[in-house]
Amino acid sequence: QKEVEQDPGPLSVPEGAIVSLNCTYSNSAFQYFMWYRQYSRKGPELLMYTYSSGNKEDGRFTAQVDKSSKYISLFIRDSQPSDSATYLCACARPTSGTYKYIFGTGTRLKVLA
Amino acid sequence: EAEVAQSPRYKITEKSQAVAFWCDPISGHATLYWYRQILGQGPELLVQFQDESVVDDSQLPKDRFSAERLKGVDSTLKIQPAELGDSAMYLCASSFQVSGNTIYFGEGSWLTVV
């Protein structure tokens, strides 16, 4: 079983829709949770990170963490065609004096104009 | 805005040849990571440095891959000999301190082995 699971999609939505992207994790040692956006043939770009359970909002993006269920989500409001990309979730846990980051497989999102 | 620099962006090499990738992390970032990302999958850690020391290379195929960060700043990842299955994007990332909140990626180096 992978430590971080993510539905690969693809997910197609009309412009203006609310998008919900989700990941589950199995290791309760994870402390930090991140979402990255990756355009084709580009490196991942950090969107948001959270530490505790609850919600964190940044513009049209909301990250949600539920540690009791080991479930993390990213919501995108008023989605735009420019949001079309692959979204990667990542979880970080302490190990040997540093942190190890584990990434999901990514969900491909397409926002249709 | 400070960025992680990587080169080359694209590399095509023949099987059994040697190939090298270079990374310059964000200034002041002590932790440097090399990840490999196969198309349709998430990045997987190959090696992690704290300053010039390797802290995790458990997933690095050491028979053909090597990585160094001699002065604790820039880093080189080498593959020799390259195999067809090495075709992937090689991502370098860095973080300021030993914290778990943010790592920043470069644009990646696309490798195609023919």
Side-chain angles (χ1 to χ4, degrees):
Chain A
Q1 182 188 7
K2 291 185 177 181
E3 287 188 83
V4 179
E5 300 272 7
Q6 184 174 11
D7 187 335
L11 180 63
S12 292
V13 301
E15 182 177 358
I18 296 174
V19 176
S20 172
L21 304 167
N22 309 293
C23 287
T24 58
Y25 62 93
S26 58
N27 195 333
S28 58
F30 285 126
Q31 294 182 352
Y32 291 92
F33 307 91
M34 290 136 284
W35 285 96
Y36 288 81
R37 177 175 61 197
Q38 186 174 27
Y39 291 113
S40 182
R41 295 185 171 264
K42 297 283 190 178
E45 171 195 9
L46 178 67
L47 282 176
M48 300 182 71
Y49 72 90
T50 55
Y51 175 72
S52 58
S53 282
N55 294 350
K56 183 175 182 180
E57 192 172 313
D58 185 0
R60 296 185 296 111
F61 298 90
T62 299
Q64 189 175 79
V65 176
D66 182 347
K67 286 189 173 182
S68 63
S69 301
K70 298 187 177 66
Y71 197 84
I72 58 175
S73 301
L74 179 71
F75 298 96
I76 307 174
R77 290 183 298 280
D78 187 24
S79 57
Q80 303 296 308
S82 59
D83 294 328
S84 298
T86 295
Y87 290 80
L88 297 159
C89 63
C91 304
R93 54 176 168 82
T95 178
S96 303
T98 182
Y99 278 81
K100 185 160 189 174
Y101 293 76
I102 307 294
F103 288 81
T105 54
T107 299
R108 285 174 50 204
L109 171 67
K110 187 166 186 178
V111 181
L112 304 171
Chain B
E1 182 176 299
E3 294 182 345
V4 176
Q6 287 190 248
S7 67
R9 286 279 287 124
Y10 302 94
K11 179 71 177 180
I12 300 175
T13 191
E14 292 184 348
K15 187 175 61 172
S16 79
Q17 295 299 303
V19 63
F21 303 108
W22 175 81
C23 172
D24 191 11
I26 294 172
S27 179
H29 280 199
T31 309
L32 185 147
Y33 312 79
W34 282 103
Y35 283 86
R36 177 169 59 186
Q37 186 177 24
I38 295 170
L39 199 63
Q41 298 184 20
E44 294 189 341
L45 181 69
L46 290 173
V47 61
Q48 179 179 342
F49 290 92
Q50 181 65 28
D51 297 309
E52 65 275 7
S53 300
V54 173
V55 296
D56 186 352
D57 64 355
S58 58
Q59 300 303 310
L60 187 71
K62 298 181 186 65
D63 57 336
R64 297 185 302 108
F65 285 65
S66 64
E68 60 182 15
R69 192 184 185 199
L70 291 176
K71 296 183 179 179
V73 181
D74 59 340
S75 175
T76 301
L77 177 71
K78 296 179 181 177
I79 308 174
Q80 182 174 18
E83 296 181 354
L84 296 178
D86 296 332
S87 296
M89 183 157 68
Y90 291 84
L91 290 160
C92 180
S94 69
S95 63
F96 177 63
Q97 57 188 347
V98 182
S99 65
N101 55 0
T102 52
I103 62 172
Y104 298 90
F105 284 90
E107 290 285 34
S109 294
W110 273 98
L111 173 64
T112 302
V113 182
V114 297

